[in-house]
Amino acid sequence: KQEVTQIPAALSVPEGENLVLNCSFTDSAIYNLQWFRQDPGKGLTSLLLIQSSQREQTSGRLNASLDKSSGRSTLYIAASQPGDSATYLCAVGNDYKLSFGAGTTVTVRA
Amino acid sequence: DAGVIQSPRHEVTEMGQEVTLRCKPISGHDYLFWYRQTMMRGLELLIYFNNNVPIDDSGMPEDRFSAKMPNASFSTLKIQPSEPRDSAVYFCASSSTTGRGSINEQFFGPGTRLTVL
């Protein structure tokens, strides 16, 4: 059974600082990895999808890396803004199913 | 495209009542997923369909839960009878295949917040 861990559980940074969110998983035989954002009381918004053959994906200020052999992914958010405050979830894809981490709750202070 | 649509957005019911949650996936997507989110257990996959056929329902907690997908544009998740411990946010998501043995991004609906009194 795939186990997904996200550390830290919560993070508070001043505006402008770069964010580094970590995700680790136990089974390296994955199809893909997806990062989501969830605002309080809302649904999940897909941020980035990395297929197993890729090492990284970029979208604007977001960059996600994938190291299957070590079972790790990192989401980088450059020059954080108060609007980046949310919970970020890592989800690992095996056999058409996603296994989710518990998330990292980020607060960006103005 | 309107994205994944779920109804109702909020449901409050009494223990023992039947609850039906509805989902319309994104047009053209051939995978549909039902998830449940709670503070204690996080996000859990309940069941998923491919081309309207249930593929894996191992996450369905009890026989009180059932899901159907009568056509490509509609799915229901039913709880009968409901219990207070079923209180959670239920999400529906859809995706398409890459054609290389994996699926593309999953897109989530806004969720249904269920409260069973």
Side-chain angles (χ1 to χ4, degrees):
Chain A
K1 179 175 182 273
Q2 180 73 269
E3 300 289 340
V4 182
T5 303
Q6 291 187 247
I7 295 173
L11 187 60
S12 179
V13 299
E15 183 177 3
E17 191 165 301
N18 296 332
L19 287 164
V20 180
L21 308 180
N22 298 301
C23 172
S24 62
F25 47 93
T26 54
D27 182 355
S28 62
I30 67 171
Y31 286 116
N32 52 37
L33 186 145
Q34 197 166 351
W35 283 93
F36 292 89
R37 168 185 172 137
Q38 186 173 28
D39 293 286
K42 304 291 186 183
L44 279 70
T45 301
S46 177
L47 297 175
L48 290 167
L49 170 72
I50 310 176
Q51 297 291 358
S52 62
S53 58
Q54 299 174 314
R55 295 297 299 262
E56 67 176 348
Q57 275 285 359
T58 298
S59 176
R61 294 185 294 113
L62 276 60
N63 175 275
S65 66
L66 174 63
D67 184 342
K68 278 199 331 178
S69 60
S70 66
R72 293 180 183 177
S73 177
T74 302
L75 178 66
Y76 301 90
I77 303 177
S80 61
Q81 305 168 357
D84 294 329
S85 298
T87 296
Y88 292 83
L89 294 155
C90 167
V92 178
N94 293 92
D95 193 22
Y96 303 98
K97 299 189 290 187
L98 287 180
S99 300
F100 282 83
T104 295
T105 298
V106 171
T107 302
V108 181
R109 308 185 302 272
Chain B
D1 198 315
V4 176
I5 298 172
Q6 291 187 247
S7 65
R9 294 293 308 278
H10 301 273
E11 177 82 30
V12 180
T13 190
E14 293 189 346
M15 182 174 63
Q17 296 298 306
E18 178 179 294
V19 175
T20 300
L21 311 181
R22 297 173 177 78
C23 175
K24 176 179 168 56
I26 292 173
S27 177
H29 283 187
D30 52 351
Y31 279 83
L32 184 138
F33 305 83
W34 282 101
Y35 292 89
R36 178 171 68 175
Q37 186 177 37
T38 61
M39 289 292 292
M40 290 295 294
R41 301 174 66 91
L43 263 165
E44 302 174 285
L45 176 67
L46 300 177
I47 185 172
Y48 77 93
F49 295 81
N50 176 222
N51 291 323
N52 314 336
V53 176
I55 303 300
D56 186 342
D57 65 354
S58 60
M60 297 285 261
E62 300 172 35
D63 291 343
R64 298 183 295 105
F65 286 69
S66 62
K68 293 181 180 180
M69 192 166 185
N71 58 61
S73 59
F74 184 66
S75 177
T76 59
L77 177 68
K78 186 175 292 187
I79 308 172
Q80 166 63 18
S82 58
E83 297 183 4
R85 59 195 168 119
D86 301 331
S87 297
V89 181
Y90 291 82
F91 289 105
C92 175
S94 70
S95 181
S96 59
T97 53
T98 63
R100 297 188 295 275
S102 66
I103 58 173
N104 288 314
E105 289 176 275
Q106 286 193 26
F107 292 91
F108 279 67
T112 296
R113 183 173 296 275
L114 174 64
T115 302
V116 183
L117 303 175

